[in-house]
Amino acid sequence: MDMLKYLFFTVLLFWGTTGQCQFGPQQVIAQTANVTQIIVAVDIDGDGNIDVVSANKFGNSITWYKNLDGLGNFGSENTVASLSETTFVCGSDLDGDGDIDLIAVAYFIDLVVWYENLDGQGNFSTQKVISNQADGSSSVSLTDIDGDGDMDVISASDFSGLAWYENLDGQGNFSSKKIIDNTISNSRSVVAVDMDGDGDIDVLGNASGSLKIIWIENMDGIGNFDTRHIIYDTGAYTRVVFAADVDNDGDADVFSSSSGDNEIAWFENIDGFGNFGPKNSITSTLINAWTVYAADLDNDGDMDVLATSVETFGGEIVWFENLDGMGNFSGKKIINAEVQSPRSVIAADIDNDGDMDVISSSQNDDKIAWYENMTIVGVDENQLNILKIYPNPTKGLVFINSKAENIVGVTVFDILGKKVFQVEGNIQQMDISNLQNGMYFLRLNTDDGDFVQKIIKD
């Protein structure tokens, strides 16, 4: 009984603090992804669930994995295409037919290509070449550069800088290369973002030499680029850049990762017009910091940070909490410290429970995996006066009587925050007799928000 009281008190502490976040153990999606360089989370087959796509450098392939049930159980590898030493892939609707196509690059043969999702089910066309002159092509970003309502392509290349390709007809027929800046070298990370708040899409990128992080202005909203703005020009090479609103002031700030400095940092867009303040270091002790990604991981309304540390036979997947919504970050919080060279980490709601899970790929053990976000955002139980849940305790059958709310689904969590049961629809009763005896939490999803109720199964 004393132990039960202890657990009850512990759970109340956890439940009463909005924004608490922890991650579950590694759940392997694939362990034969031959040197995966990048992953992307998109709904490939149009079933409403987030699937995972990977670019496999030594496997010379692009593959995707189906989220079979919307709970994070994945099927076997589906090969999209063979592509020599591919290092990057991303997804968007290039041909305006409502499904997700895939765009990829091949570094050593200077290709930017795309593959049409032929049926919206994940059966893809043969290779369609956008460019074969992206010298040392490293990554791409997709956006509507010229404001005509379709998706254009921006490429970053080691030896030919930044360029874009116009989607001429909204059906995936592209123009020849249009130069954004071909005077920079080792351009490997590119982000499409409105930096100056004028309503059109500018380009954020990295480079080597004296230009570490720059953005280039879309001067007229139709893709004529001119003015180069320097965000950062000292320190070691910046490997990855990312844009998000760190301090909740409505403009795009910039994140960076730097292996040479072991650093994850951010730069404030101080006026919303693309003038940036000095570097704000989040950490300078993340050995060989490789990638950076921003998402609201703890459901508190601000941007937290995901990052990886890369070693040949080791590394870490970590996150940093945005403590105040102003860009003051916590120390390192480890998601997994038993991975081998994790090159990519992203966030998406894999299990459809309303929070952001983490997906990673680790190059040297050929794994793609995901980690369940155990965050459960609760509300004060006095809000449940419009909902009656009984009996409590229960032997198994639970009745839900709603006075005003339209229930659209119910999820049951155990005391550690792990989802153990889920049903959809306007549920009036549910059977949890198959669950072990103990304390659980029912999260009721309604048209007007979520409500949480403790319940005892005995």
Side-chain angles (χ1 to χ4, degrees):
M1 187 63 182
D2 289 341
M3 179 58 71
L4 180 59
K5 288 180 179 177
Y6 173 77
L7 289 174
F8 182 77
F9 179 69
T10 301
V11 172
L12 284 180
L13 286 177
F14 169 71
W15 202 264
T17 307
T18 302
Q20 293 299 307
C21 180
Q22 57 179 335
F23 290 92
Q26 182 185 82
Q27 301 186 55
V28 175
I29 297 172
Q31 48 191 353
T32 57
N34 196 349
V35 186
T36 296
Q37 296 290 287
I38 199 79
I39 50 174
V40 61
V42 286
D43 182 7
I44 288 291
D45 54 359
D47 62 355
N49 303 321
I50 298 297
D51 309 303
V52 173
V53 184
S54 67
N56 311 307
K57 183 178 180 181
F58 289 177
N60 297 317
S61 65
I62 301 163
T63 57
W64 76 277
Y65 304 86
K66 177 177 174 59
N67 189 341
L68 296 171
D69 53 7
L71 300 175
N73 294 301
F74 285 84
S76 57
E77 174 183 289
N78 298 286
T79 300
V80 175
S82 296
L83 185 62
S84 177
E85 296 202 27
T86 182
T87 56
F88 195 89
V89 66
C90 61
S92 186
D93 183 7
L94 290 185
D95 52 2
D97 62 356
D99 55 37
I100 299 297
D101 309 301
L102 294 176
I103 304 89
V105 304
Y107 181 89
F108 287 106
I109 53 177
D110 305 331
L111 282 180
V112 179
V113 299
W114 75 283
Y115 303 90
E116 181 184 356
N117 192 338
L118 295 170
D119 54 5
Q121 299 291 310
N123 294 300
F124 286 87
S125 71
T126 55
Q127 181 185 107
K128 299 186 178 187
V129 176
I130 297 173
S131 176
N132 58 8
Q133 297 179 339
D135 194 2
S137 54
S138 295
S139 67
V140 295
S141 185
L142 309 176
T143 191
D144 184 5
I145 285 286
D146 51 1
D148 63 354
D150 54 37
M151 299 302 289
D152 308 302
V153 175
I154 308 166
S155 69
S157 304
D158 258 9
F159 309 111
S160 57
L162 294 165
W164 75 283
Y165 310 87
E166 182 184 355
N167 193 336
L168 296 170
D169 54 5
Q171 297 181 22
N173 294 301
F174 287 88
S175 71
S176 57
K177 179 168 64 174
K178 299 186 177 188
I179 294 171
I180 298 173
D181 191 328
N182 62 359
T183 66
I184 57 177
S185 59
N186 294 317
S187 179
R188 297 184 178 182
S189 183
V190 60
V191 178
V193 58
D194 182 4
M195 278 295 184
D196 51 3
D198 63 354
D200 57 38
I201 301 299
D202 309 301
V203 173
L204 168 69
N206 71 335
S208 62
S210 61
L211 302 174
K212 301 298 186 291
I213 307 173
I214 60 172
W215 74 275
I216 303 173
E217 187 175 349
N218 189 340
M219 302 299 293
D220 54 6
I222 59 174
N224 291 303
F225 290 87
D226 188 8
T227 306
R228 177 199 289 169
H229 302 266
I230 299 173
I231 297 174
Y232 186 59
D233 59 1
T234 60
Y237 177 71
T238 296
R239 187 169 293 281
V240 173
V241 292
F242 195 89
D245 185 2
V246 182
D247 50 4
N248 285 311
D249 62 354
D251 54 39
D253 308 301
V254 171
F255 291 98
S256 68
S257 67
S258 174
S259 299
D261 292 330
N262 300 323
E263 189 167 50
I264 303 295
W266 75 279
F267 302 83
E268 183 185 356
N269 191 338
I270 57 178
D271 55 5
F273 297 118
N275 295 301
F276 284 83
K279 178 177 69 176
N280 299 286
S281 181
I282 298 172
T283 181
S284 58
T285 60
L286 189 65
I287 303 302
N288 200 17
W290 196 268
T291 195
V292 63
Y293 189 96
D296 183 5
L297 297 177
D298 52 4
N299 280 346
D300 64 352
D302 54 40
M303 289 290 111
D304 308 300
V305 171
L306 280 166
T308 65
S309 164
V310 167
E311 299 177 63
T312 302
F313 298 107
E316 293 179 321
I317 301 164
V318 301
W319 75 285
F320 303 88
E321 182 185 354
N322 192 338
L323 295 170
D324 55 4
M326 301 296 292
N328 294 301
F329 286 88
S330 72
K332 178 177 70 176
K333 300 185 179 188
I334 296 175
I335 298 173
N336 191 354
E338 297 181 358
V339 284
Q340 296 183 21
S341 192
R343 295 294 184 101
S344 183
V345 65
I346 57 176
D349 186 4
I350 290 292
D351 53 1
N352 289 306
D353 64 353
D355 53 36
M356 299 296 279
D357 308 300
V358 171
I359 312 103
S360 70
S361 64
S362 41
Q363 174 179 282
N364 290 357
D365 57 10
D366 297 328
K367 279 186 181 179
I368 301 171
W370 75 282
Y371 306 85
E372 183 178 356
N373 190 333
M374 300 300 193
T375 298
I376 308 172
V377 178
V379 297
D380 192 329
E381 286 189 30
N382 62 23
Q383 292 179 288
L384 284 166
N385 56 8
I386 58 175
L387 292 164
K388 184 178 181 182
I389 300 172
Y390 62 95
N392 189 12
T394 179
K395 296 293 185 182
L397 197 60
V398 178
F399 295 92
I400 304 170
N401 183 13
S402 172
K403 297 178 181 178
E405 303 293 328
N406 179 37
I407 299 171
V408 296
V410 181
T411 308
V412 181
F413 299 87
D414 66 17
I415 62 171
L416 297 178
K418 182 175 178 60
K419 181 172 61 180
V420 295
F421 187 75
Q422 184 176 32
V423 288
E424 296 181 355
N426 192 0
I427 305 302
Q428 296 180 337
Q429 69 179 51
M430 58 189 298
D431 186 359
I432 60 170
S433 57
N434 62 326
L435 299 181
Q436 295 181 355
N437 292 348
M439 182 188 300
Y440 294 90
F441 294 92
L442 273 63
R443 184 170 70 187
L444 307 173
N445 308 115
T446 78
D447 287 341
D448 291 328
D450 291 355
F451 301 87
V452 177
Q453 169 72 60
K454 295 186 294 290
I455 194 164
I456 302 294
K457 164 65 170 45
D458 64 12

